[in-house]
Amino acid sequence: MGKILEVRDLHVCFDTFSGEVHAVRGVDFYLEEGETLAIVGESGSGKSVMTKCIMRLLPTPLSRIPKGEILYKGKNVIKLKEKEMQTVRGSEISMIFQDPMTSLNPTMTIGKQITEGLMKHQNLSKKETKMRAIQLLTLVGLPNPEKRVNQYPHQFSGGMRQRVVIAMAIACNPKILIADEPTTALDVTIQSQILELMKDLQVKMHTSIIIITHDLGVVANVADRVAVMYAGIIIETGTVDEIFYRSNHPYTWGLLTSMPTLQTKSTRLVAIPGTPPDLISPPKGCPFASRCQYVMEVCINHMPDYSNLTDTHLVACWLLDDRAPRIEQPFIARGGTGDG
Ligand code: SF4
């Protein structure tokens, strides 16, 4: 497996009336061919901004990329001209958006919406594109595709609409599929069907997937590796086992602890106290310092470097410094199941 995508020292800012928001603040990660990388974090952690940046879908001139590289097939996507980017977007890198109702056009038939991308990127006749649309709807498990292809989004249930959105995203056999909270708007049964579908399609099409989610249950179900984002920074990254059984960052511990389990007896869910920092004037030191129960003086003024615990497991926390006091990982970070 080689790296299909590499993001290096990426910074993204937005101009707002209140000032410049530093939404992404020096992010490095890679995506291997055929793997699924989950990016997790609370709302506002910068995960969606970062992936929209890969697709070059951020609004200009409101957003700026002052620094960084996004390398796809050796080319820096940030430097591509819009015309060059149009050949990449949809056919090489494609995206499944969060809410299938708002990402579909209510005035166009499903078939037309699926074939739009195909007609743009592939030299197919009208008849061939319609056949391909039917094939795609069959592939994503939509019953009666010959009839469904001529229907409008309001004639579909939420789960079916998400299947249509996936069909649109995979229409041109993209090398990379970015799924932004693909199951948030769906109930749990449909959610698990959609995740199964994505896993199945990945095997069939050899696609590499980036999935953005705040749901660790989704991560455990589909991901090979995980990057945990907080306040525009990746604070811990590792394989699924490293994050679920050997995590080393207090924020990751907080996320794991707040995950409900079958053994959860209390009616109240556990939350991480406090709120993320204001990214108009981000903190000098560790961004989690104001919420961290292990905070030390050094954390306030100095951002910790990454400690490489293994080739795949990186953590940015002063607790891993030799001079820091030894603390015991919470039970949940060692694979425990909460209060069961
Ligand atoms: Fe907590 Fe300090 Fe580690 Fe930040 S660097 S997570 S404040 S211990």
Side-chain angles (χ1 to χ4, degrees):
M1 277 201 305
K3 288 177 189 163
I4 189 163
L5 184 83
E6 238 182 306
V7 174
R8 293 185 188 157
D9 196 24
L10 183 69
H11 292 248
V12 183
C13 303
F14 287 93
D15 286 327
T16 68
F17 285 128
S18 315
E20 193 178 46
V21 177
H22 302 264
V24 176
R25 305 186 297 132
V27 161
D28 293 87
F29 73 88
Y30 61 88
L31 180 68
E32 301 258 14
E33 278 172 40
E35 79 164 343
T36 298
L37 171 71
I39 301 179
V40 286
E42 286 166 280
S43 302
S45 58
K47 48 195 197 311
S48 289
V49 169
M50 194 169 66
T51 44
K52 284 202 181 105
C53 190
I54 296 171
M55 292 288 285
R56 291 262 305 271
L57 287 175
L58 291 176
T60 47
L62 285 182
S63 63
R64 282 190 310 111
I65 304 165
K67 224 171 148 195
E69 286 183 319
I70 298 171
L71 298 172
Y72 171 67
K73 288 188 176 170
K75 277 190 190 159
N76 185 359
V77 167
I78 297 170
K79 299 267 183 245
L80 292 184
K81 295 199 170 70
E82 182 48 32
K83 208 157 186 193
E84 293 171 297
M85 193 59 213
Q86 279 173 12
T87 62
V88 173
R89 200 185 291 127
S91 64
E92 304 264 337
I93 309 177
S94 191
M95 194 153 182
I96 303 169
F97 291 96
Q98 205 173 102
D99 182 355
M101 197 56 211
T102 49
S103 45
L104 290 171
N105 183 337
T107 66
M108 274 169 84
T109 63
I110 293 304
K112 267 224 164 90
Q113 296 188 57
I114 295 176
T115 52
E116 231 185 3
L118 283 170
M119 283 163 83
K120 195 172 168 75
H121 295 293
Q122 294 178 5
N123 211 6
L124 300 179
S125 69
K126 227 173 163 185
K127 199 174 162 202
E128 284 168 330
T129 45
K130 187 163 182 188
M131 287 304 296
R132 178 83 178 122
I134 293 171
Q135 267 176 8
L136 284 161
L137 291 179
T138 312
L139 193 64
V140 296
L142 210 74
N144 210 351
E146 290 84 3
K147 181 178 161 209
R148 288 295 194 174
V149 78
N150 297 316
Q151 292 184 329
Y152 290 87
H154 73 269
Q155 295 172 286
F156 291 71
S157 68
M160 281 180 176
R161 280 197 290 262
Q162 194 58 304
R163 284 175 193 268
V164 171
V165 171
I166 293 174
M168 283 165 70
I170 61 169
C172 300
N173 294 329
K175 301 278 177 292
I176 299 175
L177 192 58
I178 299 174
D180 187 355
E181 305 266 10
T183 55
T184 303
L186 307 172
D187 66 51
V188 273
T189 321
I190 308 296
Q191 176 173 319
S192 107
Q193 288 173 9
I194 295 292
L195 293 176
E196 280 308 314
L197 171 66
M198 284 178 60
K199 281 200 279 188
D200 189 37
L201 291 174
Q202 180 174 40
V203 174
K204 281 186 189 144
M205 302 175 70
H206 310 293
T207 317
S208 309
I209 297 180
I210 298 177
I211 184 163
I212 304 168
T213 180
H214 60 267
D215 185 340
L216 287 173
V218 170
V219 175
N221 200 334
V222 296
D224 299 304
R225 281 189 309 118
V226 188
V228 183
M229 269 194 96
Y230 186 76
I233 291 171
I234 292 178
I235 49 94
E236 181 161 13
T237 180
T239 62
V240 168
D241 279 358
E242 284 165 342
I243 295 297
F244 277 85
Y245 299 109
R246 296 182 289 283
S247 60
N248 269 276
H249 196 286
Y251 178 63
T252 315
W253 296 340
L255 288 181
L256 289 168
T257 311
S258 56
M259 193 169 73
T261 68
L262 280 178
Q263 284 77 27
T264 300
K265 287 178 192 144
S266 62
T267 46
R268 284 182 77 88
L269 294 174
V270 183
I272 305 172
T275 50
D278 178 4
L279 292 182
I280 289 179
S281 45
K284 263 198 296 181
C286 169
F288 193 56
S290 64
R291 304 170 79 183
C292 179
Q293 60 171 303
Y294 308 102
V295 62
M296 299 167 282
E297 213 175 317
V298 65
C299 310
I300 313 284
N301 290 314
H302 302 278
M303 180 64 204
D305 284 333
Y306 286 108
S307 301
N308 288 51
L309 304 183
T310 67
D311 285 351
T312 46
H313 194 181
L314 271 73
V315 186
C317 177
W318 281 115
L319 287 175
L320 293 164
D321 191 280
D322 290 341
R323 293 159 291 180
R326 295 293 110 203
I327 61 150
E328 204 189 328
Q329 279 179 327
F331 174 62
I332 193 93
R334 289 180 270 124
T337 51
D339 55 0

